[in-house]
Amino acid sequence: MTNTNSIRSIAVIGTGVIGASWTSLFLARGLQVVATDVAPNAEASLRKFVETAWPALERLGLSPAASQSNLRFTADLAEAVTGANLVQENGPERIDFKRKLYGQLDELLSPDAIIASSSSGLTMSEIQSGAALHPDRCIIAHPFNPPHLIPLVEIVGGAKTSEETIRRALEFYASIGQRPVRLNKEMPGHVANRLQAALGREVYYLVTEGVVSAADVDTALCWGPGLRWGIMGNMMLNHLGGGHGGIEHFFQQFTAPTTAWWKTLGSPVLTPEVQKKLIDSVHAEIGSRTIEELEAERDDILLGLLELRSRRAQMVAPGEIAAE
């Protein structure tokens, strides 16, 4: 098997928002990238995205070999994947499309090349059934949008994925600065989207029940638990919430009230009427601000948090970083 350090040539299939963001990240890490997409004006749109994303990547720190000139584009799939060590696939969420594509890739690529899907809605066991020759090298590598800024990538194999492939994938994404997490079993929506869905369900319930407005529920999240979640995850925060007694004391103190709250959580049905109520409340929160203004605000604050976390990581021992 090829080792992680030899993964230097990446093929990106599909250059929409996720594919373009992956491309930007790979280029910033000094990798050679060949991108392919059959959509009209795909190359121009991709290069514009990379150029726009580059100042943020410079702010976070480029690898010595980073260069936008390391990007090639072709509409020909076979040409795009020639010599690739890893394929980052970002195609439509249609199982028939992906099975056919993985059959093509399986025949075109060398046996040790990893095929990684960004899919958030399909399982690798479904997808890899199209790869008759080497299904063992197929994985899900699901990012969080946009992957050039958000480091999370969820790694999960299918029924026929090898442990070696999972190990190599975990090492590769970590080597380019991502924070990979391994899922030990396949779940619809993986992990992060399931967490978002659980929270979103209660947010929608509280707004549609008139408990709170969209603006106030967003304030409650981003100025309350959201601030803490940008530093530590739920389980570590529970440990701190138990004081000197840690997680053990937390469960002693909060099991009863927490499980009581669970019984009252809502399950809203997103009918057109409910959606309109949510939409109207969101637009009241937005006011006159544009999507571009909101994105700029999000990304600027996010970059500040990433820089702060990076400085913190450089100050502590590796064992302490892993315990965050």
Side-chain angles (χ1 to χ4, degrees), residues 11-26:
V12 174
I13 299 177
T15 58
V17 173
I18 297 297
S21 185
W22 271 127
T23 298
S24 303
L25 175 67
F26 294 143

Side-chain angles (χ1 to χ4, degrees), residues 91-128:
E93 292 283 273
R94 300 200 316 268
I95 189 59
D96 56 338
F97 173 89
K98 288 194 187 290
R99 282 176 178 158
K100 181 179 178 181
L101 174 62
Y102 276 60
Q104 294 174 290
L105 294 174
D106 203 25
E107 294 179 355
L108 291 168
L109 291 159
S110 64
D112 61 353
I114 294 174
I115 308 176
S117 177
S118 297
S119 176
S120 61
L122 299 173
T123 67
M124 183 43 63
S125 291
E126 294 176 295
I127 297 170
Q128 69 186 167

Side-chain angles (χ1 to χ4, degrees), residues 35-309:
T36 185
D37 197 312
V38 296
N41 302 314
E43 180 176 5
S45 296
L46 173 61
R47 293 190 182 278
K48 181 179 179 181
F49 185 103
V50 173
E51 183 180 356
T52 302
W54 207 251
L57 290 162
E58 287 178 319
R59 181 172 163 182
L60 292 173
L62 300 175
S63 296
S67 174
Q68 295 180 54
S69 66
N70 289 338
L71 172 62
R72 283 200 304 114
F73 186 93
T74 175
D76 184 83
L77 177 66
E79 181 184 349
V81 303
T82 298
N85 308 127
L86 181 142
V87 173
Q88 189 74 48
E89 174 269 310
N90 312 281
E93 292 283 273
R94 300 200 316 268
I95 189 59
D96 56 338
F97 173 89
K98 288 194 187 290
R99 282 176 178 158
K100 181 179 178 181
L101 174 62
Y102 276 60
Q104 294 174 290
L105 294 174
D106 203 25
E107 294 179 355
L108 291 168
L109 291 159
S110 64
D112 61 353
I114 294 174
I115 308 176
S117 177
S118 297
S119 176
S120 61
L122 299 173
T123 67
M124 183 43 63
S125 291
E126 294 176 295
I127 297 170
Q128 69 186 167
S129 63
L133 299 175
H134 302 287
D136 55 292
R137 43 84 169 273
C138 301
I139 60 160
I140 295 287
H142 174 246
F144 230 49
N145 188 34
H148 73 281
L149 295 182
I150 304 290
L152 176 67
V153 56
E154 299 174 309
I155 305 296
V156 57
K160 297 180 180 179
T161 305
S162 71
E163 276 296 313
E164 177 68 4
T165 296
I166 291 173
R167 179 193 65 78
R168 291 175 61 210
L170 289 167
E171 291 180 357
F172 168 70
Y173 288 103
S175 76
I176 61 170
Q178 299 301 88
R179 290 289 183 131
V181 297
R182 177 181 180 172
L183 278 64
N184 296 313
K185 60 176 67 177
E186 295 177 300
M187 294 289 285
H190 313 313
V191 169
N193 278 333
R194 290 176 68 90
L195 296 173
Q196 280 198 143
L199 180 60
R201 183 174 70 175
E202 186 62 13
V203 165
Y204 300 155
Y205 174 73
L206 293 172
V207 173
T208 55
E209 287 295 306
V211 176
V212 70
S213 67
D216 283 344
V217 79
D218 281 350
T219 297
L221 278 176
C222 71
W223 289 102
L227 281 177
R228 298 188 300 197
W229 291 334
I231 303 165
M232 293 180 179
N234 189 76
M235 300 307 295
M236 284 293 289
L237 289 168
N238 286 171
H239 183 56
L240 294 182
H244 291 297
I247 189 69
E248 295 84 358
H249 185 62
F250 175 86
F251 283 125
Q252 291 170 10
Q253 289 289 100
F254 297 110
T255 292
T258 298
T259 53
W261 298 334
W262 285 348
K263 295 174 183 177
T264 67
L265 295 177
S267 296
V269 178
L270 294 180
T271 63
E273 294 76 21
V274 167
Q275 290 182 42
K276 185 177 187 307
K277 190 170 185 178
L278 293 167
I279 290 167
D280 290 346
S281 195
V282 168
H283 280 290
E285 178 182 5
I286 293 168
S288 62
R289 293 174 295 173
T290 66
I291 291 289
E292 290 74 19
E293 289 171 337
L294 291 167
E295 287 178 336
E297 177 184 349
R298 177 201 65 190
D299 291 351
D300 186 54
I301 296 172
L302 176 59
L303 284 167
L305 176 59
L306 289 169
E307 289 169 333
L308 179 62
R309 294 201 65 166

